[in-house]
Amino acid sequence: MIRPLSLRRPALVAAAALGAFTLATLPAAATSSPAQITTSKTNGVGYLKSLQAADGSYAGSGLSNEWAFSALASAGTAAVDVTPGGDTSKNARTVYRNLLSTAAWPSTSPVVTDYERAVLNAYAAGIDPARVSASRDLIADIYGYWQTSENGYFGPSANFNGTVFAALALNGAKTQSGQARIPAALRDSVVTRIRANQHNDGGWNYGKAEGDSSQLAATSDIDMTGAAMAALCTSGVPNTDSGIVRAKAFLKSKLVANSGAFNAMFGVNSDSNGWAVSGLNACGINAQTGDFLTPAGKTPVDFLIAQQFNPGGGFRYQPGDASPTAYSSIDALRAVAGGGFTAAPPAPTTPGAPQWVGEGSFTSGTATKLALSVDDGAGNLKVCSVALTPTGGTTTLGAVLDAAKSAATPSGCVTDLTPASGSGTITTLNGKANSGSSTWKASIDGSTFATATRATTIGVGDTIAVRWGA
């Protein structure tokens, strides 16, 4: 599960809860109005700001609320504008970037979802996830979990959520100019796996179901259905696609008429409603009309707003709870604000603060990683994270491919290439030679594929795709 439980500092929780327990007046109309949504967003942002520690952090040892960045961005608040007591030196973006840049982060035993969570929230915070620092490329970190024996999966396939959140991260976190940074072959490979794991009832679960008839017949999970829907739509699948239509029908079947809640695996709750609504949002499906307006006139957004304490702004996990929780407040606010699982960073209001931050060049002698995919045009896609130590502010495609022969994770991304030195056009890669108009071409950060040469310039954080074809 990508939202692990975490301990929260008691003092922080107590401070966050102050003023958060006055119940909101239930909406006069069943469908939440724009004014009610605006008020919910304003108060919700206030509550999330109260979760910030005195050192400016939202994530770290004993505190793991960095999902707040995706909710804040969805609600129109830039992370760089969130400061403890107005101390701009401790703004949330800078503190989070510093954390992600440390060699010890995330742990001694990281899993792929650590990096996927970081990509989605760094992006929302206005940190280019491929250029966190000269040594930290989060896109490359994810590429290192590609499953060579089960193409399309990231991380152990049994933990299917790792593949869903790979799709969300790699497709949702675009370049600073708004360009999709990964190639279509990689995107399509992951989409194929997500489709293969869709249960018979139209939803998904956290574990792998592909090829297992009993798992495919099992009841799906509300949360994961929302995430998988968002993963498909973020990958370019239209909301008219049969897979999305089936998922939408599954969610509709779980809707509780008198409240707008979804009947989730562990009972009705704000987190499940939040994930489901975020999935609908990502697919451009209105969660307050049509299939999601119940006969009693309730919607999933109504349920979420009914769980909010005002003016404190926090959201309870389940109806009747006496206090808000951080996770529920984050998930609910992101959904009410219209967000999927990440959002482009809003323009800051802090004078002089840029919308984006990111490393501009390699540091000579500092080890780093780069994301590389190699597509031979015959369905044999290789994806890896390449470790190398640049000797200048930029490097070359030839140097990256050379490094990939012995320093790629997973291994086997590159076995051989011609020429072996110099700056010329790459004529053979992994035993496949150029032939007529079908040649090796390269794309950087989603740019148009062009002739691949050893001299092609590669900068810090570049996502590299090499493809054979016309």
Side-chain angles (χ1 to χ4, degrees), residues 8-205:
R8 289 181 287 279
R9 300 173 189 169
L12 178 64
V13 175
L18 289 176
F21 304 130
T22 303
L23 278 173
T25 301
L26 292 176
T31 301
S32 300
S33 69
Q36 289 166 332
I37 289 173
T38 296
T39 297
S40 178
K41 288 163 56 178
T42 299
N43 292 343
V45 166
Y47 176 78
L48 294 195
K49 286 182 176 180
S50 77
L51 298 177
Q52 187 178 30
D55 63 0
S57 66
Y58 276 87
S61 179
L63 179 67
S64 185
N65 291 325
E66 68 260 51
W67 278 111
F69 300 131
S70 66
L72 289 168
S74 296
T77 296
V80 71
D81 295 331
V82 179
T83 62
D87 186 347
T88 56
S89 69
K90 298 177 181 178
N91 73 78
R93 179 171 73 184
T94 295
V95 173
Y96 188 49
R97 184 185 182 191
N98 289 342
L99 172 68
L100 298 179
S101 299
T102 59
W105 181 89
S107 70
T108 56
S109 302
V111 293
V112 67
T113 51
D114 291 331
Y115 300 109
E116 292 160 354
R117 180 178 65 250
V119 165
L120 291 164
N121 287 292
Y123 176 76
I127 304 165
D128 187 327
R131 299 172 176 85
V132 176
S133 69
S135 60
R136 175 68 73 190
D137 178 344
L138 293 167
I139 304 298
D141 287 327
I142 293 176
Y143 270 38
Y145 287 83
W146 176 257
Q147 301 297 292
T148 56
S149 62
E150 295 181 286
N151 278 12
Y153 283 108
F154 282 90
S157 62
N159 298 327
F160 171 62
N161 61 310
T163 296
V164 169
F165 276 86
L168 286 167
L170 296 176
N171 294 294
K174 294 180 168 53
T175 66
Q176 294 183 35
S177 62
Q179 176 72 37
R181 67 179 84 221
I182 69 167
L186 174 53
R187 186 163 50 249
D188 293 346
S189 180
V190 179
V191 165
T192 296
R193 291 298 191 179
I194 295 174
R195 290 187 186 279
N197 280 276
Q198 189 168 20
H199 290 212
N200 299 342
D201 62 12
W204 287 265
N205 212 326

